[in-house]
Amino acid sequence: MALFSKQNKEAFIKPLNGDNPVLVQVLGICSALAVTSQLKPAIVMGLAVTIITAFSNVIISIIRNTIPQRIRIIVQLVVVAALVTIVSQVLKAFAYDVSVQLSVYVGLIITNCILMGRLEAFAMMNKPWPSFLDGVGNGLGYALILVIVGAVRELLGRGSLLGFQLIPEGAYNFGYVNNGMMTMPAMALILVGCVIWVHRAFIYKEEK
């Protein structure tokens, strides 16, 4: 089927590994440091970016032939800003506690270089369906790193995941202490660096 052609599959799958926006292109690092102290906000942020990237790609792809070249960036920003506002309001209505944790970083999705890069590099030159798959793939690739870093930081820094205590009380009685450094932004940078190193050393094979 044309919907699942080789090119469409690559548009979805490559950002998850071989062209991951965080691991390979090293984009979107700022929010990865800011919202990964716990797993729940990391998941919500990843999903928000995925939804916004996918649908902004589709919208820009649909109207790409009617956008004057000299104002294309402005049009892209308007589309993204509208979607970010909708997502922000939905979070405030249905997940207010997570919205408070994410603070201003939901609004800053507007300037996320992954999102703007996909609009300019892919959506402006491709049809809506491949653009949608590209947006979902890049969003999930970004979300994957947030989830990994958020899970490690919450588990080692708080002894829990998604608020559920995983390290038994007996471990604390025997002297186990949560690593408070894991709750600091500096550790997020170190963990992202470690994930990038593991990926490039053992998984990613650069195309010649």
Side-chain angles (χ1 to χ4, degrees):
M1 292 179 63
L3 288 178
F4 300 100
S5 64
K6 181 179 178 181
Q7 291 80 3
N8 289 346
K9 288 180 181 177
E10 286 185 355
F12 175 74
I13 294 173
K14 284 188 71 176
L16 299 176
N17 180 24
D19 200 21
N20 186 284
V22 178
L23 300 181
V24 179
Q25 302 173 49
V26 196
L27 301 175
I29 296 295
C30 297
S31 54
L33 307 183
V35 302
T36 55
S37 61
Q38 295 183 57
L39 181 56
K40 188 175 181 179
I43 292 174
V44 173
M45 184 67 168
L47 291 176
V49 170
T50 300
I51 292 169
I52 293 169
T53 305
F55 285 99
S56 61
N57 264 17
V58 170
I59 294 171
I60 293 298
S61 177
I62 291 172
I63 65 174
R64 70 188 188 281
N65 293 326
T66 65
I67 303 174
Q69 279 293 104
R70 65 183 181 276
I71 62 167
R72 69 187 189 282
I73 301 298
I74 297 174
V75 174
Q76 292 169 12
L77 284 172
V78 169
V79 170
V80 173
L83 291 172
V84 168
T85 301
I86 293 171
V87 169
S88 177
Q89 293 304 311
V90 170
L91 284 176
K92 289 178 180 177
F94 298 102
Y96 183 75
D97 57 332
V98 179
S99 176
V100 171
Q101 285 181 288
L102 292 175
S103 183
V104 299
Y105 295 101
V106 174
L108 289 176
I109 293 175
I110 295 172
T111 60
N112 191 305
C113 44
I114 297 172
L115 197 155
M116 295 303 298
R118 297 326 297 166
L119 293 178
E120 185 70 7
F122 198 93
M124 287 292 292
M125 296 182 289
N126 291 275
K127 294 180 179 179
W129 177 243
S131 296
F132 176 77
L133 293 178
D134 178 81
V136 172
N138 277 275
L140 291 179
Y142 166 84
L144 176 64
I145 308 308
L146 262 63
V147 168
I148 292 172
V149 175
V152 172
R153 291 182 69 191
E154 183 175 354
L155 180 61
L156 299 182
R158 303 170 188 267
S160 62
L161 280 179
L162 295 174
F164 297 100
Q165 195 67 30
L166 292 187
I167 297 179
E169 194 65 33
Y172 295 101
N173 295 335
F174 277 102
Y176 178 83
V177 179
N178 291 329
N179 187 344
M181 287 188 64
M182 283 292 171
T183 63
M184 301 173 62
M187 285 308 301
L189 181 61
I190 293 172
L191 286 173
V192 169
C194 291
V195 173
I196 291 174
W197 170 72
V198 170
H199 181 259
R200 295 196 177 189
F202 302 104
I203 302 173
Y204 174 67
K205 302 299 180 183
E206 187 174 0
E207 296 180 2
K208 303 297 183 182

